């Protein structure tokens, strides 16, 4: 495992070094924040093949073997794990024209969206699209790959298979069922 460190990096390192684990962790310190994809440019000599990238503040329950197989079978350069999220607007939505004239009203609409979970599978070649020593987010990489007509796919998972611990209200909502 490789962990790139910047913000609160020492705290992350201390946490992992204080727990027993059956695997090795290699730490790579960013001198300046390079973004969610920029730090991957620090790894190219260590990357031998397809690899998984995960943001540190999310939890995804997925079959990672199936995810890797999906990525390879579809010959994607990058695969995004996407969570299907259902949203219900508790109000009537107004659609209107100029001067406030209402065209229609949609009462308490419901929508389904597939959102980016922050977990990705990348082929080694995808790293070639990341600039060196420059802030570059994963969304920038996805945009650059799409602009270059490279294959970028989505591996959908259910709403209950994704938790963003960085969003406090969402985190509390997910853990309430686990507190005894």
């Amino acid at each position: 495992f490789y962990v790139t460190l910047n913000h609160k990096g020492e705290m992350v390192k201390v946490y992992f070094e204080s727990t027993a684990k059956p695997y090795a962790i290699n730490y790579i310190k960013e001198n300046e924040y390079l973004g969610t994809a920029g730090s991957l440019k620090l790894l190219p000599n260590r990357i031998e093949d397809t690899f998984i990238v995960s943001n540190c503040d999310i939890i995804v329950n997925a079959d990672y073997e199936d995810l890797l197989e999906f990525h390879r079978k579809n010959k994607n350069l990058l695969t995004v794990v996407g969570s299907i999220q259902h949203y219900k607007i508790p109000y009537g939505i107004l659609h209107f024209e100029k001067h406030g004239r209402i065209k229609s009203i949609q009462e308490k609409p419901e929508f389904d969206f597939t959102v980016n979970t922050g977990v990705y599978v990348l082929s080694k070649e995808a790293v070639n699209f990341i600039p060196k020593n420059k802030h570059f987010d994963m969304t920038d990489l996805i945009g650059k790959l799409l602009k270059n007509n490279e294959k970028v796919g989505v591996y959908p998972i259910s709403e209950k298979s994704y938790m963003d611990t960085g969003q406090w209200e969402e985190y509390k909502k997910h853990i309430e069922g686990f507190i005894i």
Side-chain angles (χ1 to χ4, degrees):
F1 289 88
Y2 292 95
V3 177
T4 57
L5 302 173
N6 188 283
H7 180 67
K8 297 188 179 182
E10 287 305 313
M11 185 185 312
V12 172
K13 190 174 180 180
V14 166
Y15 169 78
F16 281 115
E17 288 179 347
S18 68
T19 60
K21 55 200 155 308
Y23 51 84
I25 296 180
N26 299 285
Y27 301 96
I28 296 166
K29 178 83 170 116
E30 296 175 323
N31 292 326
E32 58 184 68
Y33 181 59
L34 297 173
T36 55
S39 64
L40 298 177
K41 201 66 171 180
L42 303 173
L43 300 174
N45 297 335
R46 299 174 178 143
I47 298 170
E48 296 177 19
D49 195 7
T50 300
F51 62 103
I52 297 173
V53 173
S54 177
N55 292 349
C56 66
D57 59 352
I58 58 96
I59 298 170
V60 167
N61 182 12
D63 181 339
Y64 285 87
E65 190 173 315
D66 188 60
L67 169 60
L68 288 166
E69 183 180 318
F70 174 89
H71 174 81
R72 290 180 178 126
K73 184 177 96 180
N74 288 288
K75 298 180 178 150
N76 293 334
L77 216 53
L78 186 146
T79 299
V80 179
V81 176
S83 175
I84 300 164
Q85 300 284 310
H86 183 79
Y87 292 95
K88 182 176 183 177
I89 308 297
Y91 312 103
I93 303 298
L94 300 172
H95 303 277
F96 57 93
E97 301 171 336
K98 287 183 181 179
H99 309 295
R101 183 178 177 154
I102 294 177
K103 295 190 309 186
S104 65
I105 184 169
Q106 186 178 8
E107 188 60 23
K108 298 179 182 172
E110 297 184 33
F111 302 97
D112 289 315
F113 299 100
T114 303
V115 301
N116 180 358
T117 65
V119 174
Y120 312 89
V121 178
L122 285 83
S123 296
K124 182 179 180 174
E125 297 77 24
V127 177
N128 295 332
F129 291 86
I130 301 171
K132 193 172 186 176
N133 297 322
K134 182 180 175 197
H135 183 274
F136 202 70
D137 285 323
M138 201 58 83
T139 52
D140 299 324
L141 177 58
I142 292 167
K144 193 169 187 178
L145 292 172
L146 291 172
K147 186 176 179 180
N148 283 279
N149 295 314
E150 298 293 344
K151 288 189 76 176
V152 177
V154 62
Y155 180 87
I157 61 170
S158 75
E159 183 171 30
K160 294 181 191 234
S161 296
Y162 164 65
M163 181 171 53
D164 182 351
T165 65
Q167 301 294 322
W168 185 243
E169 288 305 315
E170 285 298 307
Y171 178 70
K172 285 186 351 189
K173 182 175 81 177
H174 278 84
I175 63 168
E176 281 176 357
F178 296 103
I179 299 175
I180 296 175

